Amino acid sequence: MAGLDDLYQELILDHYRRPRHRGTLAHPAIIVDQHNPLCGDELHVTVCLDGDRITEIAHTGEGCSISQASASMMSDAIVGHTTGEALELIEHFRQVMHREVQADEDQLGDAVALEGVNKYPVRIKCALLSWMALKDGLLTRMVDQQESR
Amino acid sequence: MAGLDDLYQELILDHYRRPRHRGTLAHPAIIVDQHNPLCGDELHVTVCLDGDRITEIAHTGEGCSISQASASMMSDAIVGHTTGEALELIEHFRQVMHREVQADEDQLGDAVALEGVNKYPVRIKCALLSWMALKDGLLTRMVDQQESR
Amino acid sequence: MPLAADIDARALRADFPIFAPVGDREPLVYLDSAATSQKPTAVLDAMDRYYVETNANVHRGVYALAEEATARFEAGRDAVARLVEAPREGTIFTKNATEAINLVAWAWGVRNLRPRDVVLVTEMEHHSGIVPWQIVAEITGARVVFAPITGDGELDLDWIARTLREAPVRMVNVVHVSNALGTINPVAEIARMAHEHGALVLADGSQSVPHMPVRFADLEADFLAFTGHKMLGPTGIGVLVGRPAILADMEPFLGGGEMISDVRTDGCDWADLPWKFEAGTPPIAEAIGIGAAADYLRHIGLEAVRAHERALVAYALDALEDVDGLRVYGPPDPDRRGAPISFSMPDLHPHDIAQLVDRQRVCIRAGHHCAKPLMRTLGVNATARASGYIYNDSADVDALVRALHAARAYLGG
Amino acid sequence: MPLAADIDARALRADFPIFAPVGDREPLVYLDSAATSQKPTAVLDAMDRYYVETNANVHRGVYALAEEATARFEAGRDAVARLVEAPREGTIFTKNATEAINLVAWAWGVRNLRPRDVVLVTEMEHHSGIVPWQIVAEITGARVVFAPITGDGELDLDWIARTLREAPVRMVNVVHVSNALGTINPVAEIARMAHEHGALVLADGSQSVPHMPVRFADLEADFLAFTGHKMLGPTGIGVLVGRPAILADMEPFLGGGEMISDVRTDGCDWADLPWKFEAGTPPIAEAIGIGAAADYLRHIGLEAVRAHERALVAYALDALEDVDGLRVYGPPDPDRRGAPISFSMPDLHPHDIAQLVDRQRVCIRAGHHCAKPLMRTLGVNATARASGYIYNDSADVDALVRALHAARAYLGG
Ligand SMILES: Cc1ncc(COP(=O)(O)O)c(C=O)c1O
Ligand SMILES: Cc1ncc(COP(=O)(O)O)c(C=O)c1O
């Protein structure tokens, strides 16, 4: 059972069993849905902002252990950051998943435990699902703001 | 040079070098063109009839040794037969080419020498070209006659 | 333990090099043949022999190497035609089953479908039997309508009969055996109804031709599509069988070398069937490979294959009841289903199931199985799917059940 | 005798099992690589290893076997993209070059061509660069216009420039190296002219990519088609390279599994590039094989391949002058031509030439080379064609010349 223990570390299982930030926020600034074409899983993410700062994130939807744990860890890692910082963090996590850089624990917090997923290409999509949802939401909001100016 | 001597027998080479019935008839009852999609060769066949009897055949066009020799041998074999007999002869030759029967020298005359071509699938089309042209011409004439009744 | 007297799966495995033991590595329990089958040595060798002994392009070369290549290629076609008892001029090589269906959709559909015409597909159709029609419908203005399924995962034949009466249905695309539910559909019955109303029928045999006796004439369909890699053959080849009279009336699909008899600057003449539908250099080695696969299957006997798999499915349906809360989709009766068994487990996502049973080298599939409309009907995003073949036996099912227990224990629940 | 310092053809032959001596059989003199190339062991082994070690379907399985299969498959794409320095998302696997061209004709052409629009092809185009456009022109009402060639077998660029100015040309399909004449066409120059007038350009690299350095960007074309079996790779696979921005705007062609992101009863969403254009199970083993072939070619170096073939052609043009009355078609200058050499001999039909030289196991081609419009322009029905590759040297040319003398002597004249 050696190899797989990277994928199913205790920390990941913990976030899977007791997901943080699960649910839907009442008055979100950002609402976004993302689906994983491989398994059909859908994720719903809501975000509250104070100016440019992310004050709260919530996620709901069906998913495997990896996507659920990842959404939980992502929320932990992102809350409190500005949207610009969040985009950088997301990009860092994307690079970790694609083996372009080593994971930086200071930035990622518990999500650093997901690094081992990058040995399982199909599951990378599971790990990235919530992060890509948030990125989509942040970028869409930026475009909307540009246009409403 | 063993195998190929089947293909290039003296009799075939003789018909190739001195083709019989080459040319175009003046007042033919049947005119037909056939082309070999493999090499683009085109054959022009004209046929004179006396009632139901084939009195003369002529062929012209470009072609390889096999198709030229075959047109010459076919003309030899067919002239003097009725159209019904001709169709039977053509069918016999087709079967020989597809290895369904052994060649019958009494029927085919010199064309029996072409039997060896049936070991060379691509060249079978060359050997059959003139025979299929004649068959086409005979069948088209029968249909025309039916319709004009 | 052999399941039926007909096939000794353990013994057959010796024909499949991927099952050869490597050191003390755990043996491979391959239960994903609905996705792709393993390949016997006979198939791999036939292809290698072509490349090593007589590699040349087909149909045009007059030198001996090319003649031999052509002979082996066309013998591959004969073997495939023999397997489903189809006429060889109606046996067309494509790159996979998907292209076979697209061939009909584009070559026939684009030129024959009119606005508001209906193409009937089923809710249990594979995406390859849906999307080509959706694309062609968009171009032509036709509509794609989905035949619903019953709670047991069978087609609602009354609904189909009614729709054929009431709507201008021109084509029915029906999967013979569902890759996601296992359901064996009554193609001949549907074809008879469709023909009464002037609709053509395309049967998707991707999951039936490898697994049971399939005679083209018995299906009563106009077209039959299947794919090499699921029937012990190589990737890169599929088959469209069609009624020659219909194919002869159809305009071609892909244009290029091989499929013409003449090309002029002002147009062209098509080659005879089946070559009219085979543009460009065909999958030569692959045709030789699928031919070897067809011969291998005929040698075992498709009746025996079917008996073996029916017994395997019956054993598996039984054994899976051992796993707490496990739910199997599709018909409960093994007589009404082919090899694939889709299932779900409460609180255990299919991805996690498949990943965890792989620890014991048990290979099963997780996902929507290219059947998203069906998944929506079933009310799930994905299922896990185990699918056996001639090289699987009850020990493989036992290994799966053990691995499922272990997965449940590991991920808690 | 090695022709250029770069490549030792005799030594390379050891990599190709078909050239291994068998008893006292005469050695194979294979001069038909323009039809299909021979395959090195590296390619055959890469495919066999996939089948024997990690055969599984790609992109969806989560078990280790499937992950490994996906990794090898996508590495094949990377190797091909590297060979022509194309972006990987613009590197699409098809079943052959013919399908690659059809993909553009159907996916782009059917939806974009309007009545009277012009598709410009050339008189030296392979049927695969003509017939798809004729079929799609018939459906859309567009016209296919043929660019003429000069007496030396080169494109008339002035005519092309004039036509681009005067006619509503939307697409130019141009062969990079002619399989029948050997001519190397100035694709970049034509592409610049075409783009000035808003036309797209598809370059047919079937005879160039295997034989010389080809950088996609340098061609300045929008699409580039080529085929596995002519570049040391397997049958059953071809490649369409396209500018990602154009591909992203295009609707898909074949529909089915793999190319979707979602399928609903009311429509679907497409997958990302390049998968959007790859429907159904792809040619997995074949992608691994073509990847191994691309790596093999890059290892030898395409500059070296080109230098070797230029020298081989120069040697052959010279040596063939020895044969009475033999006439070579195409450019006389070896700098302006690729490997294929088409020729005719007075009073000796190409079929007979090819058949008779096969007595010495010299394999050359006879026919219209899927270029009937060109044959009409040349005023012949067929030609004989010898075409070399990395494993041929001057001794092969000498063998051909000897065999031609013998053929002439045998058939008299
Ligand atoms: C110039 C050219 N284009 C296209 C093709 C078609 O390649 P394929 O038959 O592999 O599709 C060929 C080879 O026959 C060719 O020589
Ligand atoms: C029922 C069914 N139809 C069609 C296909 C498509 O086959 P291929 O991917 O080989 O084109 C499959 C397999 O994925 C299938 O199971």
Side-chain angles (χ1 to χ4, degrees), chain C residues 280-281, chain D residues 96-98 126 128 175 177 179 204 206-207 227 229-230:
Chain C
T281 302
Chain D
N96 52 25
T98 301
H126 187 279
S128 295
V175 67
V177 171
N179 65 307
D204 178 350
S206 302
Q207 300 290 348
T227 199
H229 66 95
K230 296 191 205 280

Side-chain angles (χ1 to χ4, degrees), chain C residues 64-369:
Chain C
L65 218 58
E67 291 275 25
E68 177 63 25
T70 304
R72 293 193 196 183
F73 170 72
E74 291 294 340
R77 189 192 312 277
D78 288 329
V80 170
R82 222 176 292 124
L83 182 71
V84 293
E85 298 185 38
R88 76 173 261 106
E89 73 270 25
T91 305
I92 296 161
F93 284 131
T94 60
K95 69 174 174 182
N96 52 25
T98 301
E99 190 201 341
I101 300 173
N102 277 273
L103 193 166
V104 180
W106 286 87
W108 177 87
V110 167
R111 293 177 179 100
N112 288 283
L113 290 172
R114 304 267 162 278
R116 305 195 55 74
D117 278 353
V118 168
V119 175
L120 196 67
V121 304
T122 81
E123 257 178 20
M124 67 170 93
E125 221 55 33
H126 187 278
H127 290 164
S128 295
I130 299 172
V131 184
W133 298 112
Q134 288 181 325
I135 292 177
V136 168
E138 229 224 88
I139 293 176
T140 59
R143 290 170 299 159
V144 178
V145 172
F146 287 73
I149 59 170
T150 67
D152 264 2
E154 308 234 19
L155 286 177
D156 182 343
L157 295 185
D158 292 337
W159 188 96
I160 293 177
R162 200 165 53 246
T163 304
L164 281 166
R165 270 197 311 277
E166 292 171 3
V169 179
R170 302 287 313 279
M171 172 64 74
V172 178
N173 190 113
V174 56
V175 68
H176 189 191
V177 172
S178 160
N179 64 307
L181 287 175
T183 320
I184 303 175
N185 288 315
V187 171
E189 201 176 331
I190 293 169
R192 277 194 295 275
M193 297 196 289
H195 286 156
E196 260 176 43
H197 294 89
L200 295 177
V201 176
L202 189 160
D204 178 351
S206 303
Q207 300 289 348
S208 61
V209 170
H211 298 280
M212 55 188 65
V214 175
R215 282 189 70 223
F216 179 57
D218 290 349
L219 288 180
E220 303 191 31
D222 304 286
F223 301 101
L224 171 66
F226 52 101
T227 200
H229 65 95
K230 295 191 205 281
M231 53 179 277
L232 310 181
T235 54
I237 194 158
V239 180
L240 177 71
V241 172
R243 291 191 201 261
I246 296 178
L247 292 172
D249 270 353
M250 273 164 59
E251 292 290 305
F253 175 39
L254 303 181
E258 298 285 331
M259 52 70 76
I260 55 89
S261 132
D262 193 14
V263 176
R264 296 172 309 276
T265 53
D266 63 348
C268 23
D269 303 324
W270 313 131
D272 291 336
L273 289 176
W275 305 286
K276 173 172 137 186
F277 291 102
E278 295 181 355
T281 302
I284 304 172
E286 292 78 4
I288 292 167
I290 197 177
D295 285 342
Y296 183 94
L297 280 170
R298 275 173 18 101
H299 178 75
I300 296 179
L302 273 295
E303 297 282 1
V305 173
R306 171 63 191 151
H308 172 75
E309 290 186 10
R310 196 210 152 283
L312 190 66
V313 164
Y315 184 90
L317 291 178
D318 221 49
L320 288 169
E321 288 194 359
D322 251 27
V323 184
D324 248 16
L326 185 147
R327 170 164 177 209
V328 170
Y329 299 94
D333 178 357
D335 282 338
R336 306 188 66 103
R337 52 188 307 157
I341 301 179
S342 267
F343 62 92
S344 61
M345 290 166 73
D347 296 325
L348 214 51
H349 189 280
H351 267 182
D352 290 318
I353 299 175
Q355 191 100 54
L356 287 166
V357 299
D358 188 36
R359 294 182 169 215
Q360 277 82 36
R361 290 194 88 211
V362 175
C363 302
I364 64 170
R365 206 154 187 83
H368 51 61
H369 317 296

Side-chain angles (χ1 to χ4, degrees), chain A residues 79-122:
Chain A
V79 166
H81 285 285
T82 64
T83 56
E85 288 162 359
L87 284 171
E88 274 172 37
L89 251 165
I90 293 169
E91 175 58 16
H92 172 63
F93 186 74
R94 195 196 60 74
Q95 289 178 357
V96 171
M97 283 300 110
H98 290 111
R99 297 188 183 204
E100 291 162 15
V101 297
Q102 296 254 308
D104 174 354
E105 178 155 10
D106 288 346
Q107 288 195 59
L108 295 178
D110 284 1
V112 74
L114 291 165
E115 183 163 22
V117 176
N118 69 14
K119 293 195 215 85
Y120 300 87
V122 171

Side-chain angles (χ1 to χ4, degrees), chain D residues 197-227:
Chain D
H197 295 90
L200 295 178
V201 175
L202 188 160
D204 178 350
S206 302
Q207 300 290 348
S208 60
V209 170
H211 298 280
M212 56 188 64
V214 174
R215 283 189 70 223
F216 180 57
D218 290 349
L219 288 180
E220 302 191 28
D222 303 287
F223 301 101
L224 171 67
F226 52 101
T227 199

Side-chain angles (χ1 to χ4, degrees), chain A residues 1 4-5 7-9 13 16-17 35-42 62-66 120 122-123 126, chain C residues 347-349 351-353 355-356 358-360 366-368 372 376 379-382 406 409-413:
Chain A
M1 295 215 178
L4 271 188
D5 289 331
L7 202 57
Y8 295 110
Q9 289 180 45
L13 294 182
Y16 168 55
R17 295 192 184 111
H35 95 279
N36 182 343
L38 282 185
C39 57
D41 285 345
E42 311 222 354
E62 265 185 75
C64 63
S65 58
I66 302 297
Y120 300 87
V122 171
R123 305 306 293 278
C126 310
Chain C
D347 296 325
L348 214 51
H349 189 280
H351 267 182
D352 290 318
I353 299 175
Q355 191 100 54
L356 287 166
D358 188 36
R359 294 182 169 215
Q360 277 82 36
H368 51 61
K372 289 202 76 168
R376 288 206 175 83
V380 297
N381 288 333
Y410 185 77
L411 218 52

